[in-house]
Amino acid sequence: MSTQTELQQTIEDLVDDKRGILAADESSPTIKKRFDAINVESTEANRLTYRSMLLSTPELGKYISGVILFEETLGQESEQGKPLPELAWQQGIVPGIKVDKGKGPLPGAAGDFITYGLDGLAERLHAYKLLGARFAKWREVYAITASNPTQLGLTANAEMLARYAAVCQEQGIVPIVEPEVLMDGDHEIDRCAEVTEQVLHAVFHALHLHGVKLEHMLLKPNMVLPGKDCRRAPADEVAEATLIVLRRTVPAAVPSINFLSGGQGPEEATENLNAINQARNHAPWQLSISYGRALQQPALQAWGGKAENLEAAQEALLKRARLNSLAREGKYHPGMETKTP
Ligand code: 13P
């Protein structure tokens, strides 16, 4: 299969008008934080148990088309001896892999960050592909302050995303491009809109310079929201602000926009997605999810590290996946939270 055909096939397997992507790619320090919150030790065995449980959730493939895995998970096998990427694909869920190596300060731009991991990326992607990965994710992070992100921060982060995406496409791996404007702070929604517009403008400029084929990538942005120490905005306001920014910056060639949840609660993230899809009005892209916390949090709570809770945890995950699928059609309302399917 040619690289182009391979990329196209992966896009077709990932993108439709019902399903979204599950981000289960927490790095070791992040999954430790999540496990600490439920008093579970972050051992390799516990991580395997938890993530096998997520991927073997019956019917998950009805609502989830792709899963982003952490490097460790890509090489793990379930109790039945099945590699985890195969466990996902068994129900039509395409396995993907987080390939950035986390962030640190960007020298010369106080308050801005930059993500590591470009060196040796082509070789790593080659190895991940042999283990079953067909798409990848790279996250750049932008904090909002009175003076951040700086012009240097905008340019340097966009360059990283574009270089990563170009290497992925060369290897026949679909890149998820994730520029995340953080919710931290007390800024108003207008300030988030202003920054998100600058960020996405710089990112698509860099993607163009680096020859990235927009048809063969996915965008994973933040929604446009007020800072978490500000007020909470109603969903229709979030939807309107988010769609204005996306229309101004994201070319129609991008097949799908898959939002991150970024610290929104599970129900809030579903409600906002629903409002966005209700207000989409001929928007050219699919408007979907690639949630981590907003899909997993209830499942993690229900599990609590106990084998007897596995089924309840799977039900909790399936419920969030199903409600977000309804939100893709603009057919969700909060009353559904308390009803059984
Ligand atoms: P959240 O939905 O928890 O923000 O995670 C998405 C993600 O993959 C961040 O890189």
Side-chain angles (χ1 to χ4, degrees), residues 62-312:
K62 271 167 75 176
Y63 310 116
I64 296 293
S65 63
V67 61
I68 314 173
L69 304 172
F70 189 57
E71 190 175 19
E72 173 187 83
T73 317
L74 198 65
Q76 283 174 328
E77 290 183 354
S78 69
E79 257 177 39
Q80 293 71 35
K82 195 172 273 297
L84 261 54
E86 254 180 59
L87 195 63
W89 185 237
Q90 204 169 280
Q91 46 176 333
I93 301 174
V94 183
I97 171 87
K98 167 195 171 78
V99 297
D100 67 70
K101 290 184 174 277
K103 65 173 172 27
L106 174 63
D112 285 343
F113 302 105
I114 196 79
T115 293
Y116 311 120
L118 276 183
D119 287 351
L121 179 59
E123 292 73 18
R124 282 200 288 135
L125 287 171
H126 182 74
Y128 296 149
K129 202 171 169 185
L130 295 175
L131 290 170
R134 295 171 58 199
F135 70 98
K137 183 197 96 171
W138 182 292
R139 171 177 178 252
E140 293 291 333
V141 182
Y142 307 78
I144 297 185
T145 70
S147 49
N148 296 99
T150 63
Q151 190 53 52
L152 174 59
L154 291 170
T155 310
N157 281 279
E159 271 293 300
M160 295 298 282
L161 284 169
R163 288 181 60 192
Y164 139 80
V167 176
C168 284
Q169 289 188 342
E170 218 170 62
Q171 296 294 321
I173 297 269
V174 166
I176 295 190
V177 171
E178 181 181 6
E180 175 173 4
V181 178
L182 296 174
M183 270 173 85
D184 301 334
D186 61 0
H187 50 271
E188 266 294 345
I189 192 167
D190 290 356
R191 175 73 178 132
C192 179
E194 177 185 47
V195 170
T196 305
E197 185 172 337
Q198 289 171 335
V199 163
L200 293 177
H201 181 79
V203 166
F204 279 97
H205 180 65
L207 290 168
H208 173 73
L209 285 177
H210 287 263
V212 173
K213 297 279 177 299
L214 302 186
E215 293 80 356
H216 290 158
M217 62 159 272
L218 303 180
L219 178 69
K220 175 168 176 168
N222 53 285
M223 290 178 189
V224 174
L225 301 162
K228 63 173 187 254
D229 301 326
C230 185
R231 69 196 167 97
R232 220 195 114 184
D236 56 348
E237 189 182 342
V238 172
E240 190 190 346
T242 302
L243 286 165
I244 288 176
V245 169
L246 294 176
R247 283 204 175 90
R248 286 182 183 168
T249 52
V250 184
V254 173
S256 182
I257 295 177
N258 294 62
F259 296 103
L260 58 94
S261 59
Q264 299 176 69
E267 297 177 18
E268 181 185 4
T270 308
E271 204 181 334
N272 285 336
L273 178 75
N274 189 63
I276 289 171
N277 276 292
Q278 281 181 346
R280 57 174 294 134
N281 191 21
H282 303 301
W285 343 266
Q286 297 291 336
L287 290 160
S288 182
I289 58 166
S290 175
Y291 292 163
R293 282 162 287 179
L295 278 173
Q296 288 187 58
Q297 213 166 287
L300 203 52
Q301 291 290 340
W303 175 54
K306 298 196 175 73
E308 65 265 30
N309 294 338
L310 281 181
E311 241 172 72

Side-chain angles (χ1 to χ4, degrees), residues 36-49:
D36 282 350
I38 53 162
N39 288 320
V40 173
E41 199 188 339
S42 182
T43 60
E44 187 182 346
N46 284 341
R47 293 191 295 269
L48 174 60
T49 302

